[in-house]
Amino acid sequence: MAECSRAKHGNPGAGVTEQSPTASPVSGKKRAQQSPQGTVCRHKYQVSALGHCFKKVTLTKPTGCHNCSNFIWNFIGFLCEVCNFMCHEKCLKTVRTVCSCMTPTLVRVPVAHCFGPAGKKRWFCGVCRKPTEGNTALRCEVCELHVHTDCAIFSCGDCRNCHVDGTEEDFVKCARPRSVDDLIRTLKLFNSHPEWWSLWGRRLTTPSVNTHPIAVLARSACASNYTAQDTTVHHHWREGNIPSTARCEVCRRSCSSSEALAGMRCEWCGITTHAACYVAVPPECSLGRLRGMFLQPACVRLCSRNFSKMHCYRISENCHNDMDNSDEVDMSCPASAKEGQAASTPDSGKQLLKVFDGDDAAKRGQFRLVSIPRITKSEEVVIFSMADSGIFLMSNPIYRHLSLEAALRAFYLPVEAQGLELQECDGQQPLHSEDILNRNGSPDNRGIFKDPEAWILKAKPQDTEVLKIYADWLKVGAAYVSIAISRKTTVESVCNEVRIQLGRQEEDPSNFNLMEVYMGSKQVQRQILMGQELVLEKLEEIRKISLRQMNQTRFYLTENRTLVVQVNLLIGGLPSLLTREEYTQLIHEHLAVKSHLVTITHFYGSQGAIVLQISCFSEAERIYMLAKDTAVGNKPLTSLVIPEIMHNKLPKDVSPLLVFVNPKSGGLKGRELLYSFRKLLNPHQVFDISNGGPLAGFHTFREVHRFRVLVCGGDGTVGWVLGVLEAIRHKLSCPEPPIGIVPLGTGNDLARILRWGPGYSGEDPHHILVSMDEADEVQMDRWTILLDAQDVSEDGKENGFLEPPKVVQMNNYFGLGIDAELSLDFHHAREEDPDKFNSRLHNKGVYLKVGLQKLSHTRNLHKDLKLQVDKQDVELPNIEGLIFLNIPSWGSGADLWGSEGDCRYGKPRIDDGMLEVVGVTGVVHMGQVQSGMRSGIRIAQGNYIRLTVTRPIPVQVDGEPWIQSPGHIIISAAGPKVRMLKKFKHKPKKQSAGVKDACSESPSSSDGGH
């Protein structure tokens, strides 16, 4: 990327008082006489290579320092005019945070963000560093970046890299030397570029190839047993928005601030530091406390070209439709003129200008409002010239660059002012200082700008430039070489010169390409440049389109590699229980797939889903989009991009966690948990169960030999996951993964008996994951219910025909009668107005309402049922409801069986292979059970149940109700027991006050953030 240093002048910030003298003619003369450069001096403070332009300001209230996180109590601070970075004077020497205009230079591997609505909580913008408010804020669904809507396009693609591109070798393999000579040449290359070592935390001071981490990495790469380094992860630092009790990993002092964007946090392991301390942390990341359940990025492969990050991470597009045009947001929002959006009145002394950063923005009408002082007349100041020691007159040089500098700050551009100019949009005339002073051509005292006018920011033509070329195979963001280019420089000559500087001159030139990479915040775009293309013309073309785009563009020298395209799509919503040939015919008929490019690798008949492996990016994109708009049998198809887990690269001590979240459960809590787990873990191991169901997660983990499952939802969601697992367990390398629960439903009976609580109440998501890691494994029975299983008649025996029964899996309980009737009425009420059922309290209120309407029911259920337990007829008492229990919790935690001892029955357990049969006499009886005043009527206990129903009757299984027609119902054990996770019961420990104070909060905040 062609870069040069930024001009260090600008307007004072709003809300602060600048300490430099005023710009009156008299003071201007005094300052001019003291200036050794022959120009007016405004007291500015620069931090070299970081892009900041500091000015001394007087604060009107205590303000947080962005560097050390402490308050600035003496009311004298230093403010960056570009990014609003504020710090003490003593902190100027220790500033390590780069300005927003220099953020693209720190990108290690360009990865786009997945922006979505940020919610109502107050955060700080990662671009302008100011607080975000309500609907004007966005957040990345994968990392901890929060921005204003109009600041999003100025953030670059520096999100977490969560997988290996399937079209390339993995990162470390690309970087590892092929021989010892290659190793030595690489080390010498790094030694000749000191700036490259900044990302490794230390520099090689002696030419030793035995002790430096780079040498260790390279030797390991050359070894045949290269495994450990494949999964090396480096810290991914994000500034600000960290927990209030966070402490610095280096100095152990508090590093958070509620008043400013302060502190640094690794988005992999969660450690926090001060902005001035994080450079002292070794670059290798241990992934922290969650390492044992983390799906490491080097173990995930995905061919992601032609697919946005939203598609790659299977993020639902329902709540992100407004973000599809985020690059077309109206940039005239007040964020670009926050210092003076009300300054366009004649009394304010300010004037607003509309500025475009290129031809593309001018065509789209996307501009930024910039504020400059209102100039009323031409003034003259005395300038002292060092060249000839004489005095001469210059026409108001203070305002020569004011408008240009304001435009540069508005677009966060780190370029020198003399390289740019402002032009009128219509006439394309340059706007110089003389034009500003004499634009209206009148000597009166009127302002030169009557109304906000439109100007376009242009780059001046250059005959020579210095271009930065990055080495793609090194995978180090700071590793670049500088190449001088002219009007005649071609892409081929640039590649040859870079190869010489990188020690690759002996290799075939045809194996290298020059790639243009646009690191946009929403999408990273790559383009291979042609060999005879003129590089300088290419740079001018990009600058003409958008200077912002040029600032976010890099050029990489890449090696030609054999591309093996394998895009995996999971197509769901197809008819169930078909053969492979029938599924092949269906997709040919509805999706018009090309047989030579598409192969069915897996099919799940019980789920009505298939997996397509596609060897062409354009064909994969076409099928993906077409499937979303296609219906088979009036049922819409679903389409998901599925990554591949390279299970042979998983460390032996890692058992990755597969997370299913139902965002529709628990109100908005499910949505926040989904967001939090995507940040705490690899988003490829977190699945939105409302988008394609549990099958996508199980298929992704099908070859992982050992993993755990976390289900966030109600009892119905847990039953859904267990049902899918039962149907496809024979296709999994780990057929019986242990399952934990985060209760988001209304009853949450299974979560109660496994100690996960009666409901999620905002517990820290990090603590939930730690509890999952510490949980104990227990066994639980599952039962199969056969419905409508008719006896074989004489005709049926002769014909050998028996109508197949409906099969339902049961985990918690199975109810008939009044219990199921209440569930059915609640189900109908929720279907009529689902938006109202967003809280546990409201749901229980509806249950109470429908229960009161059933008080007059008579006890005659026993007349419509015949019960057999373990092939023994059981006489039913006068009851209104019959319930079969697998767990000792029913109806939101009630003990329906009771705790009283009875010599006829054993003590109920979830793994005893027995069902408890209990009766209730009506709604009043159920209410007494709920309040703990009474228990149900114990009827029987057994492992094989047979029911005969003589009339239609309401039934429910784990809270899912329907009307069952007359027939037979058989309940029996459903094969092997399932492994569940029971929360470990911690014993309270007494701690001293000093120990309590030393304990810091977990990496994530209490609302699900980090």
Side-chain angles (χ1 to χ4, degrees), residues 66 83-85 97-98 124-131 239 261-262:
H66 296 190
C83 69
N84 301 309
F85 185 94
T97 304
V98 300
F124 289 95
C125 178
V127 177
C128 70
R129 312 182 72 91
K130 295 184 178 181
E239 186 179 11
L261 188 75

Side-chain angles (χ1 to χ4, degrees), residues 786-790 803 805-806 814 816 864-865 947-955 961-970:
L786 304 181
L787 304 169
D788 298 328
Q790 304 291 335
E803 182 182 354
K806 181 179 180 182
F814 170 51
L816 303 90
D864 303 320
L865 296 177
L947 276 169
T948 302
V949 181
T950 59
R951 68 173 178 86
I953 189 173
V955 300
W962 69 91
I963 298 294
Q964 178 64 33
S965 58
H968 297 291
I969 300 176
I970 298 175

Side-chain angles (χ1 to χ4, degrees), residues 42 117 172 254 325 356 462 538 641 647-648 707 709 714 867 871 874 901 951 953 981 1008:
R42 305 178 69 199
V172 183
S254 176
N325 299 321
F356 303 92
Q462 303 289 337
K538 181 63 178 179
V641 181
H647 60 93
N648 57 332
F707 67 93
V709 178
L867 173 64
K871 298 184 179 181
V874 177
R951 68 173 178 86
I953 189 173
L981 291 174

